[in-house]
Amino acid sequence: MKPVNIERHLDCEMYAGDKCPFFSDEMSRGEIYKINSGDNYMLIFMSGPSTYTFGESAPVKMTEPYFLFLGTDDKISIAIDADKVRLSSFYFDKPVKLCSAYAISNLKSFAPSEHVFVSLPIYEPLERTLNSIILLYEDRLWCQNILGMKLKEIFFIISAYYEPQDIGQLFAPLLRREIDFKEFIYQNFLSCDTVQDLADLRGQNIRKFKKEFGEVFGMPPYTWMLKEKAKFIDERLADPTVPFSDIIEDFRFSSSSHFTVFCRRQFDMTPTQRRRMLIKDEAEKRAAERRAKYAHLRSKQD
């Protein structure tokens, strides 16, 4: 059965054309498929066998249907070892969520400390979804909206039918990059006065840096830097033995008035007022702890 009035779909403004993110074809024995990834890819083999070589690793021979994920910096070479093998691929921007309520970042604890490249078997629920996409592709129904929803369906199926530790290893390139990015930010933001300084130190274009920062931290970098800087300054203000002049010098404020403006904006009070409040809060906390510790003595006296 073929679609009715295919011309209507081909003329639609949502028709993906040569920018279709999905590809599917049958490959023959001896063919080599290579990707020097500049995008995020999902590679899907609906039949086997085939052999893949990831980077400089040893070849891995697969006989059952499988899929794997390639990050933007990954390279892979795949040799077809059968008369006909169905190869499909989906490329996309960085996925943030497996479903609307489950972020990929939730899997960080399952990401290996070193990149371990894995492939996963294609279970029946995923096979059904993939076959539906292949059908649309072969009938040239390359609607950007529908393909976008189908990609979300793939991620949803993966989140529903695969173990978290397996998904964490599958998306290790994404998760490790996010972990590395966070480690870099925490290690260096205090030594940088501006977002541009931080982006330059990272070696990233400012636009790309801000985009990645927002994806990882959920807020603009300048807002985050101010909030985190305020936490460190709060620790110093809580210590009455630390002179304001030391804080001004250590955090590279241009003057005492600059420091005061920062405190008013972050704490809604002057440095002196903030210190008094922190010292008072600490004293009340210690008093409460003492009362709790010796409550049994007071009850005996009563």
Side-chain angles (χ1 to χ4, degrees):
M1 185 175 183
K2 292 297 179 182
V4 177
N5 191 9
I6 185 64
E7 289 76 16
R8 177 177 67 83
H9 298 281
L10 301 181
D11 292 337
C12 177
E13 63 180 9
M14 297 309 298
Y15 180 67
D18 57 5
K19 294 182 179 179
C20 183
F22 185 79
F23 165 83
S24 184
D25 198 7
E26 287 188 337
M27 302 186 71
S28 303
R29 186 187 301 274
E31 287 191 71
I32 305 293
Y33 187 80
K34 293 184 178 181
I35 291 182
N36 294 331
S37 183
D39 296 286
N40 295 297
Y41 274 87
M42 192 80 76
L43 289 183
I44 304 128
F45 293 83
M46 301 295 286
S47 57
S50 62
T51 301
Y52 68 77
T53 303
F54 176 75
E56 303 299 325
S57 65
V60 178
K61 188 175 182 66
M62 303 294 294
T63 57
E64 301 297 327
Y66 68 99
F67 69 102
L68 47 84
F69 171 79
L70 294 180
T72 56
D73 300 323
D74 294 334
K75 298 179 182 180
I76 196 169
S77 175
I78 298 154
I80 305 304
D81 300 334
D83 291 338
K84 286 186 178 181
V85 172
R86 167 68 66 174
L87 166 63
S88 303
S89 66
F90 223 134
Y91 74 84
F92 42 84
D93 291 332
K94 176 183 175 182
V96 177
K97 295 183 177 181
L98 290 172
C99 68
S100 59
Y102 194 63
I104 287 181
S105 59
N106 291 342
L107 300 166
K108 281 184 291 188
S109 62
F110 299 108
S113 57
E114 295 182 1
H115 183 25
V116 179
F117 192 74
V118 300
S119 57
L120 297 180
I122 297 177
Y123 298 150
E124 183 181 356
L126 181 58
E127 182 180 9
R128 291 180 180 180
T129 295
L130 294 171
N131 282 331
S132 71
I133 303 173
I134 291 171
L135 175 64
L136 294 175
Y137 179 80
E138 291 185 333
D139 286 342
R140 298 186 67 192
L141 296 174
W142 302 352
C143 174
Q144 296 180 41
N145 282 338
I146 296 300
L147 289 173
M149 287 189 284
K150 284 295 184 181
L151 181 62
K152 290 180 180 180
E153 184 179 341
I154 288 175
F155 286 125
F156 176 77
I157 293 295
I158 291 174
S159 72
Y161 291 97
Y162 292 80
E163 295 292 339
Q165 57 266 30
D166 293 332
I167 307 174
Q169 290 192 353
L170 179 73
F171 290 118
L174 287 177
L175 297 168
R176 277 306 314 166
R177 190 159 64 242
E178 179 172 319
I179 294 170
D180 292 342
F181 185 83
K182 278 191 172 182
E183 289 176 350
F184 168 83
I185 297 300
Y186 280 115
Q187 289 172 3
N188 293 284
F189 84 92
L190 281 176
S191 64
C192 296
D193 294 324
T194 66
V195 176
Q196 184 67 60
D197 291 343
L198 202 52
D200 290 344
L201 190 62
R202 180 72 175 174
Q204 276 186 294
N205 170 275
I206 186 66
R207 183 187 64 80
K208 183 177 180 181
F209 177 83
K210 287 181 177 180
K211 182 175 183 294
E212 184 172 4
F213 194 100
E215 291 172 348
V216 173
F217 288 94
M219 67 176 70
Y222 185 66
T223 302
W224 183 91
M225 289 173 70
L226 289 178
K227 288 180 177 295
E228 290 300 310
K229 188 176 181 179
K231 292 178 183 178
F232 282 89
I233 289 175
D234 238 7
E235 292 178 4
R236 305 293 295 279
L237 286 173
D239 185 350
T241 66
V242 178
F244 289 162
S245 59
D246 285 1
I247 301 175
I248 291 170
E249 181 179 354
D250 292 344
F251 289 90
R252 299 184 302 285
F253 289 104
S254 59
S255 63
S256 58
S257 59
H258 183 198
F259 178 45
T260 300
V261 169
F262 176 90
C263 290
R264 284 190 180 279
R265 289 177 177 173
Q266 294 300 312
F267 310 125
D268 198 27
M269 56 187 74
T270 66
T272 300
Q273 291 170 335
R274 184 65 176 176
R275 170 162 280 177
R276 286 174 180 167
M277 190 199 79
L278 291 171
I279 293 173
K280 179 182 177 182
D281 288 349
E282 181 62 22
E284 291 177 348
K285 177 183 175 182
R286 291 179 179 177
E289 290 174 350
R290 285 195 301 271
R291 286 195 296 270
K293 183 177 180 180
Y294 297 109
H296 63 288
L297 297 179
R298 290 200 305 273
S299 62
K300 287 181 180 180
Q301 292 173 354
D302 294 341

